[in-house]
Amino acid sequence: MEYVSSLTGFRFDGRRPNEMRQIRGEIGVLAKADGSALFEMGNTKVIAAVFGPREVQNKSQQIDNQALVRCEYSMANFSTGDRARKPKGDRNIISYSADHGSKYINTFDASFSGKNLKQIDIFLQVLQADGGTRSACINAATLALADAGIPMRDIVTSCSAGYLCSTPLLDLNYVEDSAGGPDVTVGLLVKMDKMTLLQVIALMPTFFFFCCCICFVLLFV
Amino acid sequence: MKEILISLNQTQKVRLQAALQHLDELASQVSSANLAVTVADTIPVNNEDGILKGHGTTEFDGQVVATLCGIVERVNKLVYVRTLRARYKPEVGDIIVGRVIEIAPKRWRLEINFSQDAVLMLQSMNLPDGIQRRRTAVDELNMRSIFEENDVVCAEVRGFQHDGSLHLQARSQKYGKLERGQLLIIPAYLVKRRKQHFHHLEQYGVDLILGCNGFVWIGEHAEPIDSEVLEDRDKIPKDKHRDTPLEVRRNICRISNSVRLLSALGFALSVEAIVDTAEASKSSNVDIKDMLGAEFYVQTAEREVQRRASLLKKKRFV
């Protein structure tokens, strides 16, 4: 399949290979949460809610001089084009969301600052999935944390990139994502110039390194 | 802040926008250009004079960097960031309203919208019989007769203990359990610290407590009970079965709807503004339930514009 038109050099959705989708962010979308944000990257839409800093609910989990950050990630059944089948047991969902949650926590850990923080809960819900849900979740959570007034050393931003038809592509959508090519998701601390997340799926040709570079450069812009 | 969802028609939309724009202009005339920052923005400072980094700032690469979104405030050498929207930050002497969530040995734990629960010790609390004495084990067992779980309590911030926990005190008749009324939870930044946080609105027969933590209590007026009067005990049980008159209940709802309205519009809460809004709704014959409707919402915004404009004029004459 031809993901990049050999004639015009444009992608399916009319973007150039190094072009991002339109992004839109809105804060304060929920009344009861301490901080909340809605983030859209093209058709991908994620809502994030932050509660806290608050008292640790389970005392045995308390860590001295460190905030307990919990994150719950879920994807709405209606978020994808195909009708999602119900998983058989609830346990699957829990382990899945716990696994994903810990990934987001790892992304943020480096950027939290402040001593007397107790427990911070982040809830992420994917409303529409069109590729790049992980990046959108990270961006949404950053906005929600900033909205909640939680001190952070830096802003975490994220974007993905892929490699199809021997062309590096920035910010894959669902069709390009499911094409089976390699893709990489990067989380960056812009000011500190540090990387908090680098996730590569599938094998990477040598040329692919170039793709990462594009991703970096565009995130800085 | 989407507490109230209102569908405005076209003219109302235009009026609201005009009013909000007007408010923006007025605000920009008053405030000296304060710097607004977001997370990871560099705060420009003059490094030659010593700088003290306060809340919401950190140092990176020799620069002062904000860790919060908000307004940069400077007090002499101190530079700090005041957040726009965050949880309540207690200061000693603040009057707060909280909800009891747990009874622990010799203490109550209160939820006050802070990052941790506040502690109200039995010993920093006036006993119901009003006698000053050592608290005994019997008092400890009778703690539930003073406050139970889910009771709404008014108290004062006493200070931080060594372990970082927040302690409260309620050593006066004006503090204590709040009954016969409504508790509203609004963003803490809308309540400014004043000399007076207890208000008795005589024309309504209503007590209004603006807690610094954004908990607002609106209840039937209760006379502060002297300890001498308390001695004839028969009075209290009678009191308990008394109903609040309908008129007072209506007044409570009217006042609380004005609080809801002002907080939805994002206006700072002062007792004058609340009473003004309630009076305006009465004089223009707006029903209590219609106070949260579109028309009154826009009217309130327009009234605020007029109020601030006249304030500004007065200031200029002086």
Side-chain angles (χ1 to χ4, degrees):
Chain A
M1 220 164 135
E2 200 178 44
Y3 288 97
V4 182
S5 161
S6 50
L7 210 69
T8 56
F10 285 142
R11 293 201 246 169
F12 270 143
D13 44 10
R15 286 184 288 159
R16 287 182 197 85
N18 62 352
E19 198 176 337
M20 278 183 79
R21 289 173 288 180
Q22 191 182 23
I23 58 172
R24 197 180 82 89
E26 191 183 339
I27 55 169
V29 287
L30 301 171
K32 293 291 171 203
D34 287 313
S36 58
L38 184 72
F39 192 81
E40 289 171 34
M41 292 172 94
N43 287 330
T44 303
K45 197 186 233 179
V46 174
I47 195 162
V50 170
F51 292 87
R54 60 181 173 189
E55 195 84 3
V56 179
Q57 281 160 342
N58 189 350
K59 291 279 181 215
S60 62
Q61 291 179 326
Q62 192 158 7
I63 323 161
D64 280 339
N65 295 324
Q66 213 185 323
L68 173 67
V69 184
R70 298 197 316 171
C71 182
E72 213 175 291
Y73 163 90
S74 63
M75 227 161 139
N77 280 341
F78 52 80
S79 63
T80 50
D82 316 315
R83 189 192 144 87
R85 276 206 209 125
K86 271 194 181 164
K88 274 175 195 162
D90 281 336
R91 250 181 82 190
N92 280 334
I93 308 174
I94 293 164
S95 68
Y96 179 75
S97 77
D99 179 40
H100 273 248
S102 67
K103 269 176 194 150
Y104 292 118
I105 291 165
N106 288 339
T107 318
F108 281 108
D109 237 357
S111 63
F112 279 119
S113 75
K115 283 159 208 155
N116 253 335
L117 301 179
K118 299 281 174 166
Q119 175 177 330
I120 299 164
D121 292 314
I122 307 167
F123 295 92
L124 296 163
Q125 171 94 20
V126 179
L127 300 179
Q128 286 183 64
D130 185 32
T133 50
R134 175 151 301 155
S135 313
C137 280
I138 290 169
N139 293 332
T142 309
L143 284 181
L145 285 164
D147 184 39
I150 291 166
M152 291 188 289
R153 266 184 228 128
D154 205 345
I155 281 195
V156 191
T157 51
S158 175
C159 187
S160 65
Y163 185 75
L164 288 167
C165 300
S166 40
T167 319
L169 302 174
L170 185 71
D171 195 14
L172 304 180
N173 63 23
Y174 181 73
V175 181
E176 292 161 341
D177 210 12
S178 49
D183 83 89
V184 56
T185 306
V186 186
L188 274 185
L189 297 175
V190 184
K191 182 97 179 175
M192 294 164 89
D193 210 3
K194 279 180 185 161
M195 191 151 42
T196 55
L197 173 81
L198 178 66
Q199 194 178 35
V200 185
I201 297 166
L203 291 172
M204 199 201 272
T206 42
F207 187 58
F208 189 59
F209 187 72
F210 178 63
C211 171
C212 294
C213 296
I214 293 187
C215 187
F216 271 62
V217 171
L218 276 152
L219 272 170
F220 277 111
V221 174
Chain B
M1 291 303 90
K2 304 242 165 141
E3 288 278 346
I4 309 174
L5 278 179
I6 302 169
S7 52
L8 302 164
N9 64 29
Q10 199 54 44
T11 41
Q12 283 166 341
K13 248 182 219 165
V14 173
R15 280 166 61 202
L16 183 66
Q17 249 161 15
L20 292 180
Q21 203 181 347
H22 209 115
L23 281 176
D24 266 358
E25 285 163 14
L26 288 175
S28 60
Q29 283 173 23
V30 175
S31 63
S32 53
N34 265 335
L35 185 64
V37 288
T38 59
V39 176
D41 273 359
T42 308
I43 301 169
V45 287
N46 192 354
N47 272 325
E48 280 158 23
D49 16 299
I51 286 288
L52 284 170
K53 292 190 297 295
H55 281 295
T57 59
T58 183
E59 196 170 328
F60 177 71
D61 254 2
Q63 293 173 315
V64 181
V65 173
T67 60
L68 293 168
C69 300
I71 308 286
V72 178
E73 300 270 356
R74 289 161 204 263
V75 181
N76 295 331
K77 284 182 179 178
L78 179 70
V79 176
Y80 68 96
V81 178
R82 184 166 54 87
T83 49
L84 299 175
R85 221 170 80 74
R87 291 209 153 201
Y88 164 66
K89 281 223 177 61
E91 279 174 29
V92 174
D94 276 356
I95 288 158
I96 56 123
V97 177
R99 196 183 274 280
V100 177
I101 51 168
E102 191 190 349
I103 298 179
K106 289 186 193 165
R107 70 198 69 196
W108 292 272
R109 281 186 194 287
L110 268 66
E111 156 65 30
I112 60 159
N113 190 32
F114 179 42
S115 61
Q116 64 198 51
D117 299 334
V119 173
L120 178 61
M121 297 291 285
L122 178 61
Q123 69 210 26
S124 51
M125 162 85 220
N126 267 5
L127 289 178
D129 53 10
I131 306 164
Q132 294 289 336
R133 59 176 167 81
R134 248 182 100 92
R135 310 305 194 254
T136 58
V138 182
D139 289 327
E140 210 178 309
L141 288 173
N142 289 331
M143 273 172 69
R144 266 206 179 73
S145 66
I146 306 177
F147 303 138
E148 273 182 326
E149 282 95 342
N150 296 326
D151 276 353
V152 179
V153 171
C154 178
E156 183 186 315
V157 175
R158 181 165 165 233
F160 288 94
Q161 292 315 96
H162 296 296
D163 57 346
S165 63
L166 180 74
H167 278 226
L168 304 175
Q169 61 181 3
R171 281 191 195 281
S172 150
Q173 290 300 342
K174 59 183 179 177
Y175 301 127
K177 188 154 147 183
L178 301 170
E179 282 171 309
R180 303 167 189 281
Q182 281 189 18
L183 175 71
L184 294 180
I185 298 176
I186 58 161
Y189 63 84
L190 292 176
V191 182
K192 297 277 174 280
R193 291 190 173 87
R194 296 278 176 96
K195 273 187 180 161
Q196 197 54 256
H197 283 268
F198 294 92
H199 303 282
H200 174 207
L201 311 177
E202 276 170 32
Q203 69 270 43
Y204 296 107
V206 165
D207 272 345
L208 173 70
I209 303 174
L210 296 168
C212 291
N213 57 339
F215 285 43
V216 175
W217 175 260
I218 301 130
E220 188 192 352
H221 177 62
E223 281 299 327
I225 320 153
D226 295 327
S227 48
E228 292 154 24
V229 183
L230 249 169
E231 271 164 25
D232 56 303
R233 282 268 167 135
D234 328 328
K235 243 188 152 179
I236 300 161
K238 257 190 225 161
D239 228 17
K240 271 203 169 161
H241 297 293
R242 192 174 53 84
D243 279 333
T244 308
L246 180 63
E247 194 49 37
V248 174
R249 273 186 272 165
R250 280 201 181 126
N251 285 339
I252 289 173
C253 291
R254 196 175 281 279
I255 298 282
S256 60
N257 270 355
S258 2
V259 173
R260 283 196 186 99
L261 186 60
L262 290 171
S263 76
L265 279 161
F267 295 151
L269 286 180
S270 64
V271 73
E272 296 84 22
I274 295 166
V275 173
D276 265 7
T277 314
E279 282 297 322
S281 74
K282 247 186 176 173
S283 61
S284 51
N285 276 330
V286 179
D287 259 359
I288 294 168
K289 65 174 168 49
D290 294 331
M291 284 177 76
L292 302 178
E295 182 56 31
F296 196 65
Y297 186 83
V298 179
Q299 274 177 20
T300 310
E302 286 171 344
R303 200 147 16 81
E304 181 74 10
V305 172
Q306 282 172 9
R307 196 182 67 83
R308 289 197 196 175
S310 65
L311 265 178
L312 207 67
K313 264 184 203 162
K314 264 184 210 165
K315 260 188 194 166
R316 278 195 190 137
F317 279 119
V318 175

